[in-house]
Every structure is written in structure tokens, then in C-alpha cells.
Amino acid sequence: MDIGDLNRAAWDHAVNAGDNPYTQVVTSEQVAAARTGEFSLYLSDGRPVPPAWVTRVSGLRVLCLASGGGQQAPIFAALGAEVTLLDASVEQLAQDRYVAERDGLAFTIIEGDMADLSALADDAFDLIFNPPSTMFVPHLQPVWQECNRVLRPGGTLMTGFINPDEFVFDADALDNEGAFVVRHSLPYVEYDTLVAAEREERRQAKAMFHFSHTMESQLGGILDAGFVITGFYEDRRTEADGNRIRHYLPSFFVVRAHKGAIV
């Protein structure tokens, strides 16, 4: 089984189930506010991107990478950016098409793999905006290399990712008993931890498969691809999320990086 195909089907299912916050589209009121310059952008669950990171949006060429779901691309478009959206999930992209039609927005939509941006030209973007999604792909270096290729010199990459230490714990024990049971070594590949019957059960349920990656592949990989890291912050899950790990560890890390020299 190809994990990319499994996760694509899982995201399509999540849209239809309607209970995943990353599939919930922005409102017309949020779009209208963005058109007047009032907006918040998120690369984690609770803490918005600092205003100093997005001082100018109008006229920028923005790639919303693995960013389907009707959330980021509509806001960037309402702010006057020239937006391209790439995501692997057909149903997630359909959410953005819905918002675009509902609110009279225009942006380019591409179904594709975040590690293969061959449909996009070199130096084509000023900003790449990548909400938490790297936990769904097996290898990160192709992602960072492609981001570097399609950004103009001095362009900006903003990306958020889950704290890999969360994957040390047994998810079932945490969810069902509230118990912190250390089970997995890192880096963690969920598919490899399951026996064949468990894999098939999860496939039938259209559940997602995750990769923890390491801080070296997340931050070191960004640096190795030719970026300079110029901003960093942590965030924690909300009380509503119900994840007890938030009391002990940061839930997300968010990075701003520039391609080479800042211009």
C-alpha cells in the first residue's frame, strides 16, 4: 500500500465526515474582513502568525502548500495576493473551490504531491505558506528542495509542524486511559508499527498514517536546502483538543525561513 494514497483517501474522508478542524472553511465574514486588511493566519492550532511576519501581502505571489481545506488560500486571495494552492486531497481542494465561488475569489488550484512541484517554475513565488502537513509524507528533503527551487531569491518559507516528541507515546493509551505510555522510538513511522490486520483495519476506516520525522530533518533539512531561518515560535494545543500532552510539551513548532540573502 502506498501511504500517500492512504493519506489522500483519509483526507477526502475527513472532509466528508466534517469533524476535522483542518477541513472547516473560513466564513464569508472572515473573507470580507480580510478584504479590509483584518485577518489572522495560522500555522498551528492556537497562536496566529505574528503580524511582523506578514507585513505586506497584496501583490505577492503566494504558494499555499499542502494547504487545502478552504482556510489559508481564500484569506491570501482576499488580501490581494496572487495565490496558487497545491494539495493532494481532491475533497480538500473542493473546499477551496467552494469558498472561491461563494465569495468571488480567484486563485489557481493544483492537485499534487508537496514533494513534487515540477508543475511550477523556478523562482515563481515570493512566499510559501505550509500549515502542519509534513507528518503525512515519508521524506522531507525533497519538500524543502522544491520549496527552495520555486521561491525567488530572498523569498520566504513559513511552515508549521507537530512536535515529534508527541509520537513517543502510545496513542490508544493516551486517548482511552489518559495514560502516558512510552512506546515508540523516533523517528516514528506509524505504518511500520502496525501488523497487517491493523493496517487493513485503518485502511478500511480511512484513518491517516503519520511520520514523526526529527528536528534534524525539519530544521536541519530547511537549512540544508539553502534557507536561512529568521523566525521561530512554539504553540500548544487548545483545551478543546483534549490532548493532555499539551500540559507538558509544546504541540507545534513554527518556522520562518528565507531563501539565501534577505532582499
Side-chain angles (χ1 to χ4, degrees), residues 1 7-8 10 25 46 70 77 95 126 129 146 211 222-223 253 260:
M1 298 179 188
N7 281 337
R8 186 178 301 110
V25 304
Q95 298 290 79
D126 303 298
F129 197 83
E146 281 288 83
F211 302 83
I222 289 171
L223 293 170
F253 299 119

Side-chain angles (χ1 to χ4, degrees), residues 171-183:
D172 289 336
L174 187 61
D175 292 342
N176 299 328
E177 306 164 23
F180 290 92
V181 177
V182 175
R183 179 180 177 187

Side-chain angles (χ1 to χ4, degrees), residues 47 71 104 108 121 177 179 207 221-222 225 229:
R47 184 176 173 184
Q71 297 176 352
T108 300
E177 306 164 23
I222 289 171
I229 293 176

Side-chain angles (χ1 to χ4, degrees), residues 82-178:
E82 180 184 331
V83 181
T84 298
L85 164 64
L86 184 142
D87 198 278
S89 166
V90 172
E91 294 299 328
Q92 280 283 77
L93 294 175
Q95 298 290 79
D96 288 274
R97 288 191 177 93
Y98 163 75
V99 177
E101 182 175 350
R102 183 194 69 191
D103 297 321
L105 300 169
F107 45 86
T108 300
I109 292 177
I110 300 174
E111 179 189 346
D113 181 347
M114 65 188 298
D116 178 10
L117 306 182
S118 55
L120 304 174
D122 295 356
D123 305 336
F125 298 97
D126 303 298
L127 169 64
I128 295 176
F129 197 83
N130 172 228
S133 56
T134 54
M135 77 288 283
F136 301 114
V137 296
H139 306 293
L140 294 189
Q141 204 55 34
V143 176
W144 306 139
Q145 294 288 356
E146 281 288 83
C147 285
N148 186 274
R149 180 184 65 79
V150 302
L151 272 176
R152 65 164 175 81
T156 305
L157 166 67
M158 298 184 193
T159 180
F161 59 96
I162 286 181
N163 183 346
D165 289 348
E166 285 205 7
F167 294 94
V168 167
F169 302 105
D170 184 295
D172 289 336
L174 187 61
D175 292 342
N176 299 328
E177 306 164 23

